[in-house]
Amino acid sequence: MSSPNSIADLRKSYERAELNEDASHADPLNQFDQWLSEAIAAQVPEPNAMTVATVASNLRPSTRVVLIKGFDAQGIVWYTNYASRKGVELAGNPYAALQFHWVELERVVRIEGVVEKVSDEESDAYFNSRPLDSRIGAWASPQSEVISGRGILVANAAKYGAKFMLNPPRPPHWGGYRLKPDNWQFWQGRKSRLHDRLRYTLQDDASWLRERLAP
């Protein structure tokens, strides 16, 4: 095992790029589009992976990693089991935070806002585009519930595979969420820990206020 001292001594100098007000976009969605495109082009591992943070009714936060499946002016979209822990927490408190961390590019994007379910039509269209095994898996896994072993999942997959064959419908407990951002932060690592950090805050007139924050 690594000793606490050796962990504390791990350091990295961030020197790949910079982020300033003149070179950044006035609209955070355009800035995100640029950075995500650059992460994909750089072939970083799973550039579409994002952490989703929710808060339960007892005020305890929780996080998990999911994959972004779309974004536009309306918000950031992902799909999951509505009966999962995150689904239950979003039903009680519809505010969430997202984070992308592209380690190789020394960049982080943080997004906050209110979350709503996407339409049934959107969920159906995405569900039907998934590989067959993934569609069966949405039926087979009682996400976030305690199960006695992996055999339960295998048995459920076999059961629903036999039931639905090649055309499993979208489960009623499965679909999409859309986070509608009201706050974005873009972080670019810089030398000597003097990192670049820009925050965009949604204003009452639907414009974005861009400000630099101390790192």
Side-chain angles (χ1 to χ4, degrees):
M1 289 182 63
S2 299
S3 69
N5 287 339
S6 66
I7 294 174
D9 289 339
L10 293 174
R11 303 185 189 284
K12 176 182 178 180
S13 181
Y14 300 96
E15 301 180 17
R16 288 184 58 93
E18 62 183 43
L19 177 65
N20 60 59
E21 292 82 348
D22 293 334
S24 63
H25 293 277
D27 188 322
L29 187 67
N30 293 334
Q31 185 65 38
F32 175 72
D33 185 23
Q34 177 185 327
W35 273 20
L36 177 58
S37 297
E38 291 175 356
I40 294 171
Q43 298 184 323
V44 304
E46 294 199 282
N48 54 335
M50 63 183 185
T51 299
V52 178
T54 56
V55 178
S57 58
N58 62 3
L59 303 184
R60 293 188 64 137
S62 62
T63 65
R64 71 287 293 162
V65 177
V66 305
L67 301 179
I68 182 176
K69 292 301 178 180
F71 67 96
D72 57 22
Q74 300 305 309
I76 311 293
V77 175
W78 72 95
Y79 292 85
T80 190
N81 188 316
Y82 290 144
S84 65
R85 178 176 177 178
K86 57 184 168 298
V88 171
E89 291 180 353
L90 286 170
N93 175 14
Y95 292 92
L98 312 177
Q99 178 170 290
F100 292 83
H101 186 193
W102 298 308
V103 178
E104 294 76 7
L105 300 181
E106 301 172 355
R107 288 173 173 173
V108 174
V109 179
R110 296 164 54 187
I111 314 167
E112 300 175 15
V114 67
V115 177
E116 62 184 16
K117 290 181 179 179
V118 307
S119 68
D120 288 342
E121 292 76 14
E122 288 178 87
S123 290
D124 287 341
Y126 175 69
F127 184 80
N128 292 330
S129 75
R130 304 180 85 206
L132 177 61
D133 287 350
S134 297
R135 285 178 279 155
I136 293 298
W139 284 95
S141 175
Q143 194 174 120
S144 298
E145 294 183 15
V146 175
I147 57 176
S148 59
R150 184 173 177 80
I152 296 295
L153 300 177
V154 175
N156 283 350
K159 179 180 72 173
Y160 287 112
K163 178 178 180 179
F164 296 125
M165 302 299 286
L166 298 178
N167 296 295
R170 178 174 63 89
H173 58 263
W174 191 99
Y177 285 106
R178 175 180 286 107
L179 182 141
K180 306 179 73 169
D182 56 29
N183 187 291
W184 297 73
Q185 286 195 36
F186 295 85
W187 181 95
Q188 175 70 63
R190 296 295 301 274
K191 190 176 181 179
S192 303
R193 296 299 186 264
L194 300 178
H195 310 302
D196 290 328
R197 187 177 170 196
L198 297 184
R199 179 179 65 187
Y200 295 74
T201 306
L202 185 63
Q203 305 298 290
D204 292 339
D205 64 358
S207 66
W208 290 96
L209 173 64
R210 179 177 52 190
E211 301 170 298
R212 176 173 288 269
L213 301 182

